[in-house]
Amino acid sequence: MKTILVTGAGGYIGCVLVPKLLSKGYRVIAVDRFFFGREKLLDHENLIVIKDDVRKMRDDYFKDVNVVIDLVAISNDPSGEYFHEATYQINHGARVNTAMMSKKMGVETYILPSSCSIYGFTDPSIIVNELSPTNPLTTYAKANEKAEQDVLKLADHKFSVVVLRQATVFGSSPRMRFDLAVNAMTLKAVKDGVIPLMRNGLQWRPFLHVQDTTDLMCLLLNIENEKINGEIFNVGSNHSNYQLLHLAEEIIESMQGNARIQWYGDADNRSYRVDFEKISRVLNWKAERTIIDGVNEIRDDLFSKRISNGEDSITLEWYKKLVNSTGTATDIKMYGGILDIKVD
């Protein structure tokens, strides 16, 4: 039985990945602060839960671990800007430290789920691939890029390192996020009959279902190291590169026209089209789910109350509430704080 250590296990992707790993017969060590609640990860005989901050990882956490999937992150641009220092500490420093400790303790493979956001802005006529120049515009993207650069330096014939540049993720999760484009658009269309869209809607983004990216992470556990070691893979699908205006229009069509666009703000200066040919060619993997698959799933899960748009579904607002709380966050505070802690 392989042992997989997952950081950020209680987050949006982690709450989908961990049960999937357990169902496939893996032993899982789940490391998280559980800002969004421990109850979102159901108990299992092969699940070990460690409540700790990734900035304080210990060697013994990695004992007999075969693979580390380092999901942990301050996970969107607004949160990254608001918690600037913590974002660099977690998204860059802690991940590099986790990779170094993994190597020291004999872990075989380290997987870094990064983000296509490091491409930042590119001319709309250009479709970027893994060899294209990066152009990170935000704290979140810059910290991801630094983490990529530093963990890849650790790869050798005994320690495999692979970087996954994920497209913008969508779909249902026990730790639901409605601050992601497809999820947010679907919620507003269902609840209010409007889709909020930042002017002018011509910015490009690639998208990826949470079930597809977690399927890929499971696949990597059984792929020969020579195919993945030291490699960067864009994760998504070419048919899910969208201009946000066209994305909104497709969602409206799926709602039989029972929604309209509601414009707000200024033009978004993040825009990138991404090529996903490499992962298909090298790993024979492709994303299976479409945008509309995700929209229908979220709509059905909202109606059936399997998911909700509680206040913890907007990451930054929930972090702010925890930081400013004098009561409800007492069991979450560690090392003297919530996100801002004392780091050696």
Side-chain angles (χ1 to χ4, degrees), residues 121-125 181-182 185 195 197-207 238-251 261 263 268 270-274 291:
F121 177 84
T122 60
D123 187 289
S125 66
V182 173
M185 288 181 176
I195 293 180
L197 189 59
M198 187 178 290
R199 295 180 177 86
N200 51 11
L202 300 182
Q203 61 271 36
W204 285 90
R205 289 285 195 292
F207 293 95
N238 289 340
H239 62 74
S240 288
N241 276 304
Y242 277 85
Q243 287 180 291
L244 295 194
L245 173 59
H246 297 152
L247 173 66
E249 290 171 343
E250 189 164 310
I251 293 173
I261 291 172
W263 296 101
D268 191 348
R270 298 162 301 161
S271 182
Y272 43 92
R273 298 170 68 189
V274 180
I291 293 289

Side-chain angles (χ1 to χ4, degrees), residues 208-226:
L208 171 69
H209 197 288
V210 65
Q211 294 291 345
D212 282 326
T213 194
T214 51
D215 283 349
L216 171 64
M217 292 173 198
C218 292
L219 175 67
L220 290 175
L221 304 181
N222 295 291
I223 287 183
E224 313 89 276
N225 283 343
E226 56 267 25

Side-chain angles (χ1 to χ4, degrees), residues 8-21:
Y12 174 64
I13 296 175
C15 282
V16 175
L17 175 64
V18 169
K20 191 172 288 190
L21 291 170

Side-chain angles (χ1 to χ4, degrees), residues 30-95:
V31 182
D32 204 303
R33 285 284 295 277
F34 294 102
F35 291 134
F36 304 94
R38 165 65 180 85
E39 72 283 353
K40 291 179 174 62
L41 276 186
L42 299 180
D43 290 333
H44 190 282
E45 61 181 351
N46 291 326
L47 175 64
I48 297 171
V49 174
I50 298 175
K51 184 178 179 181
D52 205 351
D53 193 293
V54 292
R55 291 167 284 186
K56 301 287 186 175
M57 296 287 273
R58 297 176 359 204
D59 284 352
D60 58 294
Y61 294 170
F62 299 88
K63 188 177 187 308
D64 299 324
V65 169
N66 301 99
V67 178
V68 169
I69 304 177
D70 206 359
L71 281 173
V72 72
I74 302 297
S75 56
N76 63 6
D77 289 331
S79 299
E81 300 310 318
Y82 194 89
F83 297 103
H84 178 87
E85 184 176 358
T87 298
Y88 275 110
Q89 290 174 352
I90 294 168
N91 296 23
H92 173 227
R95 284 157 143 183

Side-chain angles (χ1 to χ4, degrees), residues 62-309:
F62 299 88
K63 188 177 187 308
D64 299 324
V65 169
N66 301 99
V67 178
V68 169
I69 304 177
D70 206 359
L71 281 173
V72 72
I74 302 297
S75 56
N76 63 6
D77 289 331
S79 299
E81 300 310 318
Y82 194 89
F83 297 103
H84 178 87
E85 184 176 358
T87 298
Y88 275 110
Q89 290 174 352
I90 294 168
N91 296 23
H92 173 227
R95 284 157 143 183
V96 175
N97 187 55
T98 292
M100 292 173 65
M101 294 175 79
S102 299
K103 184 172 183 175
K104 171 187 171 184
M105 294 300 293
V107 173
E108 299 159 11
T109 302
Y110 172 88
I111 299 170
L112 176 64
S114 182
S115 171
C116 284
S117 66
I118 72 167
Y119 294 118
F121 177 84
T122 60
D123 187 289
S125 66
I126 297 172
I127 302 178
V128 294
N129 62 30
E130 291 85 351
L131 298 177
S132 299
T134 56
N135 182 25
L137 301 177
T138 64
T139 299
Y140 169 72
K142 291 173 183 177
N144 273 328
E145 181 181 53
K146 288 174 71 67
E148 287 187 15
Q149 292 168 345
D150 288 344
V151 301
L152 284 169
K153 295 173 186 175
L154 300 173
D156 61 27
H157 67 286
K158 290 184 178 179
F159 183 61
S160 294
V161 177
V162 58
V163 169
L164 307 177
R165 287 180 183 163
Q166 300 172 106
T168 301
V169 184
F170 66 93
S172 288
S173 166
R175 193 261 121 162
M176 193 57 195
R177 284 185 61 187
F178 283 113
D179 52 6
L180 294 164
V182 173
N183 298 359
M185 288 181 176
T186 304
L187 174 68
K188 292 293 287 183
V190 169
K191 295 286 189 181
D192 303 325
V194 299
I195 293 180
L197 189 59
M198 187 178 290
R199 295 180 177 86
N200 51 11
L202 300 182
Q203 61 271 36
W204 285 90
R205 289 285 195 292
F207 293 95
L208 171 69
H209 197 288
V210 65
Q211 294 291 345
D212 282 326
T213 194
T214 51
D215 283 349
L216 171 64
M217 292 173 198
C218 292
L219 175 67
L220 290 175
L221 304 181
N222 295 291
I223 287 183
E224 313 89 276
N225 283 343
E226 56 267 25
K227 283 190 175 182
I228 62 173
N229 191 11
E231 295 291 340
I232 298 171
F233 294 99
N234 292 333
V235 184
S237 60
N238 289 340
H239 62 74
S240 288
N241 276 304
Y242 277 85
Q243 287 180 291
L244 295 194
L245 173 59
H246 297 152
L247 173 66
E249 290 171 343
E250 189 164 310
I251 293 173
I252 290 170
E253 184 178 352
S254 77
M255 303 278 180
Q256 287 76 51
N258 294 319
R260 60 179 177 80
I261 291 172
Q262 184 178 68
W263 296 101
Y264 74 96
D266 300 319
D268 191 348
N269 61 357
R270 298 162 301 161
S271 182
Y272 43 92
R273 298 170 68 189
V274 180
D275 177 68
F276 299 97
E277 183 273 336
K278 177 182 176 180
I279 196 167
S280 175
R281 170 174 47 83
V282 175
L283 302 184
N284 194 29
W285 178 88
K286 65 177 182 177
E288 299 288 344
R289 297 155 182 91
T290 67
I291 293 289
I292 299 307
D293 290 334
V295 170
N296 291 338
E297 170 189 73
I298 294 166
R299 180 177 56 198
D300 292 346
D301 286 351
L302 283 168
F303 285 141
S304 66
K305 302 190 184 305
R306 285 190 291 269
I307 61 173
S308 68
N309 62 319

